[in-house]
Amino acid sequence: PDAAARGYALLTAEETRAANPALRGSAVLGALHCERDAAVEPRVAQRALKDKLLESGRYTFLGGREVREITGERAVRDDHGDVHTADAVVLCTGAWLGGLVKELAPDLPVRRVRLQMMQTDPLGEALTTSVADADSFRYYPAYAGGALDAMA
């Protein structure tokens, strides 16, 4: 009921093509559009953020480590036994709920989702919106129901 207030709208086929001219053909019947959505290429964005943080001289990147213990108000011990202190510690779940995060907050509504992604050669024209087909909805519990069950 609050879809419009949250920026969501169902678009007709014509409105869909107006929003993203790269979508063509009779298979486009319409779209669910969110004016607040943004598209971010993770491989580009994460590297750019890391590089910018490293430029500050106030950031250290230690990949391949997992926090195993909170040792103080702003201190943690990693799986290599090293203690790290900081002005702030942010513990992120990553793609699944495991390790210390699961111990500290076992009821977080995080679940592993398996999606297939691919990268193609450049299209040669701008994609003005993110694009996912209806099949993508099968991986999200909010879309569960009879219509989804009927999909082959």
Side-chain angles (χ1 to χ4, degrees):
D2 63 345
R6 294 172 56 209
Y8 287 95
L10 287 174
L11 304 182
T12 65
E14 293 76 27
E15 292 168 329
T16 300
R17 289 194 254 308
N20 191 335
L23 299 175
R24 296 183 282 277
S26 61
V28 176
L29 303 177
L32 174 64
H33 181 259
C34 181
E35 65 188 27
R36 297 179 184 172
D37 271 355
V40 176
E41 175 57 49
R43 283 180 279 184
V44 174
Q46 290 172 345
R47 191 170 294 124
L49 286 170
K50 180 178 151 188
D51 290 346
K52 196 66 171 173
L53 288 167
L54 287 169
E55 285 176 17
S56 74
R58 301 180 353 221
Y59 172 80
T60 302
F61 177 77
L62 301 171
R65 295 177 184 233
E66 182 179 331
V67 171
R68 295 292 172 92
E69 179 185 2
I70 297 173
T71 60
E73 186 174 325
R74 294 183 186 98
V76 295
R77 184 182 324 277
D78 68 21
D79 57 344
H80 294 140
D82 296 330
V83 174
H84 308 278
T85 59
D87 295 333
V89 174
V90 179
L91 190 55
C92 303
T93 66
W96 58 87
L97 187 58
L100 183 62
V101 177
K102 188 170 187 166
E103 290 176 30
L104 295 174
D107 297 324
L108 278 178
V110 176
R111 68 183 187 90
R112 190 173 196 161
V113 175
R114 294 183 182 163
L115 295 174
Q116 293 183 5
M117 301 287 180
M118 66 178 166
Q119 183 171 343
T120 64
D121 287 335
L123 181 61
E125 62 185 295
L127 280 175
T128 57
T129 65
S130 296
V131 178
D133 67 4
D135 188 51
S136 300
F137 292 126
R138 76 173 61 240
Y139 300 102
Y140 298 95
Y143 294 100
L148 183 61
D149 294 339
M151 292 176 68

